[in-house]
Amino acid sequence: MGDSVQPVSLEAKNPFELRVDLGRHVPETDVRTALATGDMGFVHSFTTGSTVDGPGVRVVAWLTGCQFRCLYCHNPDTWRLTNGVPVAVERAKAELGKYRHGLKMMRGGLTVSGGEPLMQDRFVIKLFTAAQAMGIHTALDSNGYLGDRLTDEELEKIDLVLLDIKGWDAERHHRLTGMDVGPVLDFARRLATRRRPVWLRYVLVAGLTDNPEEIDQLADFTANLGNVERVDVLPFHQMGAFKWKQLGIEYTLQNAEPPSKGIIDRVCAQFRAAGLKTY
Ligand code: SF4
């Protein structure tokens, strides 16, 4: 097991580069060992200079593997684990080490996103442990479904959780993602109990995730948690649409427009009315 020949650069300008089958050659037993130990991760790409994935200027590791199938997913090439490049954790730590001084100067840090990073929970924890040892701020961008894979002690390795709650209503969440919302909300409550800092992320699609009653209920839930520092309302866009086409997956939102300013303002106002800060 270990790094093999790298067919593409690990660094990408942004996560919208289509990447497939880069880890297909890794034997099944090595994949299982990697998931169990975290000694190797499957990485779609690293990007640098992000100012939208946590505080300051950040390096973002985009991992592959996701158990959700969000209708609006911008990166469906991250769904399959073996679409990512196999990267030894020691190599990932060394890459991160190159940025440690710059990240501190820019009050930034490391964000691990995906895909769903907790599909590779052991790799994530090893990376965050190393990052914290270097004095680098850590943020996990997660749909929260697999939060119970982390021990309370491991939660301390995450300085900030960017929690993506896809929808409040159970039926809508299932229709939107293919998965239940219950474990996501359980993780949100647990983070609140442990007083871990959270930013809520909410993708706004007109006609799909903008129902006023559901937004009010989500806003109340979020405000009552007491640990959510801000809410990022993320307007849907079509930048990932080409990936669905190229991957041959049916895309049902081809005619969906980005939400209007009026809808964005209304949803932000609903979160603010519950006492939350929105961006
Ligand atoms: S959780 Fe994220 S990566 Fe997974 S399907 Fe949804 S939007 Fe895509």
Side-chain angles (χ1 to χ4, degrees):
M1 194 171 81
D3 279 4
S4 53
V5 177
Q6 301 301 314
V8 292
S9 161
L10 259 187
E11 193 165 328
K13 286 195 189 73
N14 61 62
F16 293 107
E17 288 183 15
L18 180 76
R19 295 187 163 186
V20 290
D21 283 343
L22 303 178
R24 192 181 52 178
H25 58 285
V26 178
E28 182 64 36
T29 50
D30 286 358
V31 173
R32 278 202 293 270
T33 303
L35 291 174
T37 64
D39 288 342
M40 183 174 78
F42 290 83
V43 180
H44 176 279
S45 54
F46 283 106
T47 55
T48 56
S50 167
T51 55
V52 294
D53 296 295
V57 179
R58 308 188 71 85
V59 168
V60 185
W62 305 90
L63 305 194
T64 47
C66 188
Q67 78 287 53
F68 279 25
R69 294 290 178 265
C70 300
L71 298 178
Y72 55 59
C73 183
H74 299 146
N75 293 303
D77 53 335
T78 63
W79 291 352
R80 205 169 69 188
L81 187 78
T82 53
N83 275 352
V85 183
V87 180
V89 72
E90 294 306 323
R91 179 177 170 211
K93 288 185 206 171
E95 284 290 316
L96 185 61
K98 292 180 194 166
Y99 298 103
R100 65 195 293 181
H101 298 300
L103 290 176
K104 275 185 225 169
M105 255 166 46
M106 293 180 286
R107 298 176 187 277
L110 167 69
T111 299
V112 179
S113 184
E116 170 44 50
L118 293 185
M119 296 288 282
Q120 303 190 57
D121 54 295
R122 296 304 89 197
F123 181 73
V124 171
I125 290 303
K126 283 193 170 172
L127 206 49
F128 279 167
T129 302
Q132 281 192 340
M134 289 185 236
I136 296 172
H137 179 273
T138 60
L140 175 76
D141 179 17
S142 170
N143 64 35
Y145 192 88
L146 298 175
D148 62 3
R149 286 189 173 187
L150 304 179
T151 65
D152 289 345
E153 193 181 28
E154 287 166 350
L155 289 183
E156 303 291 324
K157 307 285 178 197
I158 308 169
D159 296 315
L160 173 69
V161 176
L162 308 175
L163 184 62
D164 300 82
I165 297 186
K166 312 292 184 181
W168 172 256
D169 176 75
E171 194 192 323
R172 186 183 301 278
H173 188 278
H174 200 279
R175 223 177 330 128
L176 189 60
T177 68
M179 301 294 281
D180 292 339
V181 73
V184 178
L185 302 183
D186 287 346
F187 187 49
R189 292 185 191 99
R190 182 170 163 225
L191 290 168
T193 304
R194 305 292 312 168
R195 298 183 193 282
R196 303 307 301 154
V198 168
W199 291 6
L200 178 75
R201 301 186 121 187
Y202 189 75
V203 177
L204 184 59
V205 191
L208 198 61
T209 64
D210 65 340
N211 179 283
E213 278 178 28
E214 289 171 33
I215 302 279
D216 272 342
Q217 288 163 355
L218 176 61
D220 281 347
F221 170 80
T222 305
N224 286 330
L225 291 171
N227 63 329
V228 178
E229 297 175 351
R230 62 185 261 175
V231 177
D232 288 334
V233 174
L234 309 173
F236 167 78
H237 59 71
Q238 292 281 12
M239 282 172 73
F242 79 99
K243 290 188 173 185
W244 290 73
K245 195 169 175 202
Q246 290 195 24
L247 292 168
I249 316 169
E250 188 193 4
Y251 182 55
T252 55
L253 299 188
Q254 68 271 19
N255 296 322
E257 300 278 342
S260 65
K261 183 172 180 310
I263 293 176
I264 298 169
D265 288 348
R266 188 257 296 164
V267 169
C268 287
Q270 287 184 269
F271 280 111
R272 280 199 301 274
L276 296 157
K277 285 187 196 150
T278 61
Y279 291 87

